[in-house]
Amino acid sequence: MSSYFTRSNLQLSSFALVTVGWILSVASMGRMDWRVWHLEEDPSSVISSGITWVGIWKVCFYSTILHPPQEKSGKICHSYIKYATFLPSDFRIIQNIFLFACILGAMGKVSITIAMRNFYLGVPRRSAICNPFIIGGFFYISAGICILICVIWNYHSVFTNQSITFPATFHIPSSPETQEIGGAVSMAIVATILMLLGGIFFLSFKGGKHTGILSSNVEISRSKRKIFKIKEKN
């Protein structure tokens, strides 16, 4: 019985890891600070702070000119889709890979949920218990690798100070003076680690022949009642 609980704790811990990892990956994808651009000083620029945050799906900056009348300074954001022609090809590839990683994570979550259900209900066939864990682990490891590719690619773009020719309506120069990695990358790295760890744990799970935790508890309860009845007769 202790082995059942050990396996149960391992699967619950792994499920928590990959769930948090998947949530962090989605959150990091929506953040604006994958790259932080430091612009050259220009008195005529509408960007008051001299800093622009470049995300996968939007770019933002603070401006004292392009802001609501009731505020002294406001954050201005411009969104863009993956089909935007002004985005470089490597940027669009990162968008597609990250979307694919999130889809893989969602598929892994469905597979693991089915596997957990079968594990607790005690589905008698080994394939019904073991395979969903393996498939889910494969999905999460693949998602982690995809996000890792995006992180590495982003590091390369930052360190080589690559530019993006934004439309004139964005009021953003095509290249910064310098740029650095933003906080979204740290979140993506944590998400990658969690999903890889959880996926590896799921892949290492060996179903074994058992009747499930819930069904095992029922059998134990029945055995105790039989023993109690025998003692009463004696």
Side-chain angles (χ1 to χ4, degrees):
M1 185 65 185
S2 61
S3 63
Y4 295 158
F5 285 111
T6 300
R7 282 180 290 187
S8 173
N9 291 335
L10 176 61
Q11 304 314 318
L12 287 175
S13 300
S14 302
F15 185 74
L17 287 177
V18 295
T19 299
V20 174
W22 184 75
I23 293 174
L24 289 177
S25 67
V26 175
S28 67
M29 182 177 63
R31 288 183 57 167
M32 64 180 183
D33 54 344
W34 273 77
R35 307 177 189 178
V36 181
W37 283 16
H38 297 275
L39 308 176
E40 296 181 359
E41 293 185 6
D42 184 2
S44 61
S45 175
V46 300
I47 303 175
S48 57
S49 63
I51 298 177
T52 298
W53 294 270
V54 181
I56 295 179
W57 300 104
K58 62 183 176 181
V59 58
C60 299
F61 58 87
Y62 283 97
S63 175
T64 56
I65 300 176
L66 305 175
H67 66 86
Q70 67 273 17
E71 299 179 7
K72 294 183 178 180
S73 178
K75 181 188 290 185
I76 308 298
C77 291
H78 298 284
S79 300
Y80 37 78
I81 60 176
K82 63 180 181 179
Y83 301 109
T85 56
F86 64 86
L87 292 175
S89 58
D90 64 326
F91 207 91
R92 291 197 295 269
I93 291 174
I94 289 177
Q95 289 178 329
N96 291 326
I97 293 177
F98 220 112
L99 281 175
F100 183 60
C102 291
I103 293 173
L104 286 175
M107 294 172 64
K109 190 173 182 64
V110 172
S111 180
I112 295 301
T113 300
I114 294 173
M116 295 288 288
R117 173 186 175 278
N118 293 341
F119 181 78
Y120 277 93
L121 293 181
V123 176
R125 293 180 301 170
R126 173 176 176 151
S127 60
I129 298 172
C130 187
N131 283 352
F133 278 120
I134 294 177
I135 294 172
F138 172 77
F139 280 142
Y140 277 115
I141 289 177
S142 300
I145 292 174
C146 287
I147 297 175
L148 182 61
I149 292 174
C150 295
V151 169
I152 295 174
W153 209 323
N154 186 72
Y155 266 101
H156 175 265
S157 299
V158 169
F159 290 149
T160 55
N161 201 28
Q162 295 186 9
S163 61
I164 301 175
T165 306
F166 292 104
T169 54
F170 283 20
H171 304 285
I172 300 173
S174 60
S175 60
E177 183 177 12
T178 59
Q179 57 181 302
E180 62 182 353
I181 296 296
V185 176
S186 300
M187 182 180 290
I189 292 174
V190 173
T192 299
I193 294 173
L194 292 179
M195 285 197 288
L196 288 177
L197 284 176
I200 291 171
F201 288 151
F202 284 129
L203 285 181
S204 64
F205 174 67
K206 300 186 182 301
K209 294 183 179 180
H210 63 280
T211 56
I213 293 177
L214 296 182
S215 57
S216 297
N217 288 337
V218 172
E219 293 297 330
I220 291 174
S221 299
R222 289 176 180 174
S223 299
K224 287 182 178 180
R225 286 197 297 268
K226 289 181 180 179
I227 294 173
F228 182 73
K229 288 179 180 179
I230 294 173
K231 289 183 177 180
E232 283 184 342
K233 291 180 180 180
N234 295 335

